[in-house]
Amino acid sequence: MHYVSTRATSASASRNPQEFSNILLAGLAPDGGLYLPAEYPQVSSAELDTWRTLSYADLAFEILRKFATDIPEADLKILVSKTYTPQVYKNARAGDAAADITPLRVLEEADGKTLILQALSNGPTLAFKDMAMQLLGNLFEYTLAKDEAQLNIFGATSGDTGSAAEYAMRGKRGVKVFMLSPHNKMSQFQTAQMFSLQDANIYNIAVEGVFDDCQDMVKAVSNDLAFKARHRIGTVNSINWARVVAQVVYYFRGYLAATSDNSQKVSFTVPSGNFGNICAGHIARMMGLPIDKLVAATNENDVLDEFFRTGVYRVRKSAETYHTSSPSMDISKASNFERFIYDLVGRDAARTHALFTKVETHGGFDLSGAPGSDGDEFKLVRKYGFQSGRSTHQDRLATIRDVEDDYGITIDPHTADGIKVAREHQVAGVPMIVLETALAAKFNEIILDALGMDAVRPAGFENIEALPQKFIVMGADVAAMKSYIAKNTAL
Ligand SMILES: *Cc1c(COP(=O)(O)O)cnc(C)c1O
């Protein structure tokens, strides 16, 4: 299996196809594009049948071996077995089986319509990002050990990504994590999750500023290529291919758990921000999984909903980006969207390059086919199953209350965006699976607003705020940051 850049024309810097291990530690391709498989591996109906009885880990192995063809299968098998075990995904809600890793729960069956919740947030940091990041931690350790190499991960977080990365990399040989977060801006729970880690290879840096200041510092350091190379700095942001492909597995799992034979279809609704999660659903569908609709749910930051309604992709300025009560979906542009557009325009890399250059120069593009637009490929969007919807703060509160009253379970505000939009797209005869992207305990402030009571915390998280914290506070000063990294990465 080879990987190509979405911008790889014969003249471009990334025309050489890459192996999985080569792009594992890479972010963007040298030409600025994103990596995708040269073609999607296909899964036959007969093969899908043989997967119906597999454990999550064995299913993950069957899928990942089609993509990570340069990792010896015996090694890959060990890596996925230690990643997807009930000991890691032990935070299932009462009544769900931790051994399922991503247990399904039918919320409602009426008039031929079935609404299902697939829990993806039972891992160590209570958000779906663990599903991919835990695998990444084990893959990094494995490849670094082979080369006796070191990797220093440098990133910025507003909450979920940073904690998932730190819990995945803590104690891993050859890896250090430097994670910037805005000082005093994360929820108390998120802060405690990250800062209570005492592992020597984890460096929490609270920056006096907002999330954008943190991200600007990461960009400034990343743009200094000499510094990056000298200090072996890498990233684990949402465009990382290994993260996307790890997420493909739970779409297969959800489908197989919700159906009894392959003539049936299901739809998925996905609370979306950077388009990483739902992009994995698109890939599962391209591999032959019988998915009917893929519904992107957004909050007030509705860049994606606007595109899937109109064909116009218009990124937002930071002043136009709202701080909402589903903060992990507060994005101004969707960094994985280029992967889908590449497929939508018939895998035409020159055209993908032109469209995303226009995003840089003009803030977006228009594929609606209207006079003066950039193309008419929007008419193909439904062929790929995509639909969308948005929700507001009031919708979230109302949905959290409804779900609590009707089904007796507490959902987090991002999942509430999903349920609200899913209900607008349900059809009889096709089960609708909503992906649960975080557990409510992580966003207790909103749960208190909606329900007037605290979210239940999984065992072990009861007193997390009282644990000793390890972090340093730093101004938004790039030079100071560089010397801190240099000092702490010296061998
Ligand atoms: C990251 C995140 C999302 C958005 O996922 P994308 O892959 O960026 O679309 C949604 N909900 C929660 C809780 C998240 O942490």
Side-chain angles (χ1 to χ4, degrees), residues 199-311:
D199 305 75
N201 71 330
I202 303 294
Y203 298 83
N204 283 305
I205 305 162
V207 175
E208 291 171 317
V210 293
F211 174 63
D212 282 341
D213 297 314
C214 300
Q215 221 166 15
D216 287 347
M217 287 172 80
V218 172
K219 272 188 208 140
V221 171
S222 299
N223 289 340
D224 184 343
L225 296 181
F227 183 87
K228 234 180 110 175
R230 184 156 10 103
H231 298 286
R232 301 166 309 277
I233 287 175
T235 55
V236 289
N237 51 21
S238 86
I239 59 165
N240 182 288
W241 167 252
R243 280 183 64 183
V244 175
V245 76
Q247 294 170 173
V248 170
V249 177
Y250 52 69
Y251 286 87
F252 277 87
R253 181 69 172 190
Y255 174 82
L256 293 170
T259 60
S260 50
D261 79 78
N262 304 338
S263 65
Q264 296 169 286
K265 288 194 164 194
V266 306
S267 295
F268 288 90
T269 299
V270 187
S272 292
N274 275 318
F275 205 76
N277 196 350
I278 200 167
C279 187
H282 165 67
I283 291 164
R285 197 171 176 281
M286 298 298 277
M287 291 170 71
L289 189 67
I291 296 176
D292 187 26
K293 298 290 179 305
L294 284 166
V295 186
T298 75
N299 61 22
E300 291 88 338
N301 298 293
D302 56 359
V303 186
L304 290 168
D305 180 43
E306 181 175 59
F307 176 80
F308 286 115
R309 274 185 299 104
T310 66

Side-chain angles (χ1 to χ4, degrees), residues 96-115:
D96 286 351
D100 288 347
I101 309 297
T102 64
L104 268 61
R105 181 181 279 234
V106 175
L107 296 182
E108 191 173 289
E109 274 184 294
D111 310 326
K113 295 179 185 171
T114 312
L115 186 64

Side-chain angles (χ1 to χ4, degrees), residues 2-3 33 43 188 249 326 338 349:
H2 286 108
Y3 292 86
V43 178
Q188 283 199 28
V249 177
S326 46
E338 183 167 337

Side-chain angles (χ1 to χ4, degrees), residues 127-129 160 271-277 328-329 412 414 437-438 443:
F128 86 98
K129 290 188 172 70
D160 292 342
S272 292
N274 275 318
F275 205 76
N277 196 350
S328 304
M329 292 156 60
D412 102 294
H414 307 79
T437 55
F443 298 94

Side-chain angles (χ1 to χ4, degrees), residues 29-325:
D31 56 18
L34 303 182
Y35 287 109
L36 271 179
E39 70 266 343
Y40 294 117
Q42 295 300 303
V43 178
S44 68
S45 184
E47 190 170 25
L48 197 54
D49 271 333
T50 65
W51 290 358
R52 285 193 172 274
T53 50
L54 297 183
S55 69
Y56 194 97
D58 288 345
L59 176 65
F61 170 70
E62 292 300 331
I63 293 170
L64 293 171
R65 67 197 271 260
K66 295 178 184 287
F67 290 98
T69 45
D70 60 332
I71 297 182
E73 295 204 335
D75 294 353
L76 186 63
K77 186 133 203 170
I78 293 167
L79 288 170
V80 296
S81 308
K82 85 173 177 198
T83 303
Y84 299 110
T85 100
Q87 284 80 48
V88 176
Y89 296 90
K90 61 183 181 201
N91 299 310
R93 52 167 63 81
D96 286 351
D100 288 347
I101 309 297
T102 64
L104 268 61
R105 181 181 279 234
V106 175
L107 296 182
E108 191 173 289
E109 274 184 294
D111 310 326
K113 295 179 185 171
T114 312
L115 186 64
I116 299 172
L117 191 64
Q118 185 175 4
L120 303 182
S121 306
N122 298 342
T125 75
L126 315 186
F128 86 98
K129 290 188 172 70
D130 289 329
M131 294 301 302
M133 210 69 93
Q134 286 287 322
L135 179 69
L136 213 57
N138 288 326
L139 281 169
F140 280 2
E141 187 175 52
Y142 168 78
T143 44
L144 292 168
K146 270 207 319 210
D147 305 338
E148 289 182 42
Q150 299 275 328
L151 173 69
N152 297 303
I153 291 165
F154 185 46
T157 186
S158 58
D160 292 342
T161 305
S163 52
E166 292 187 354
Y167 279 76
M169 310 296 165
R170 62 187 297 201
K172 291 271 186 288
R173 273 186 313 274
V175 189
K176 289 179 178 175
V177 180
F178 296 85
M179 192 57 65
L180 310 187
S181 58
H183 190 33
N184 289 331
K185 303 275 189 318
M186 293 187 293
S187 79
Q188 283 199 28
F189 187 91
Q190 287 174 319
T191 307
Q193 264 187 317
M194 287 177 56
F195 293 4
S196 65
L197 290 181
Q198 301 295 330
D199 305 75
N201 71 330
I202 303 294
Y203 298 83
N204 283 305
I205 305 162
V207 175
E208 291 171 317
V210 293
F211 174 63
D212 282 341
D213 297 314
C214 300
Q215 221 166 15
D216 287 347
M217 287 172 80
V218 172
K219 272 188 208 140
V221 171
S222 299
N223 289 340
D224 184 343
L225 296 181
F227 183 87
K228 234 180 110 175
R230 184 156 10 103
H231 298 286
R232 301 166 309 277
I233 287 175
T235 55
V236 289
N237 51 21
S238 86
I239 59 165
N240 182 288
W241 167 252
R243 280 183 64 183
V244 175
V245 76
Q247 294 170 173
V248 170
V249 177
Y250 52 69
Y251 286 87
F252 277 87
R253 181 69 172 190
Y255 174 82
L256 293 170
T259 60
S260 50
D261 79 78
N262 304 338
S263 65
Q264 296 169 286
K265 288 194 164 194
V266 306
S267 295
F268 288 90
T269 299
V270 187
S272 292
N274 275 318
F275 205 76
N277 196 350
I278 200 167
C279 187
H282 165 67
I283 291 164
R285 197 171 176 281
M286 298 298 277
M287 291 170 71
L289 189 67
I291 296 176
D292 187 26
K293 298 290 179 305
L294 284 166
V295 186
T298 75
N299 61 22
E300 291 88 338
N301 298 293
D302 56 359
V303 186
L304 290 168
D305 180 43
E306 181 175 59
F307 176 80
F308 286 115
R309 274 185 299 104
T310 66
V312 176
Y313 182 60
R314 183 174 64 86
V315 304
R316 310 296 200 251
K317 301 187 176 63
S318 18
E320 287 179 289
T321 307
Y322 302 99
H323 295 283
T324 75
S325 47

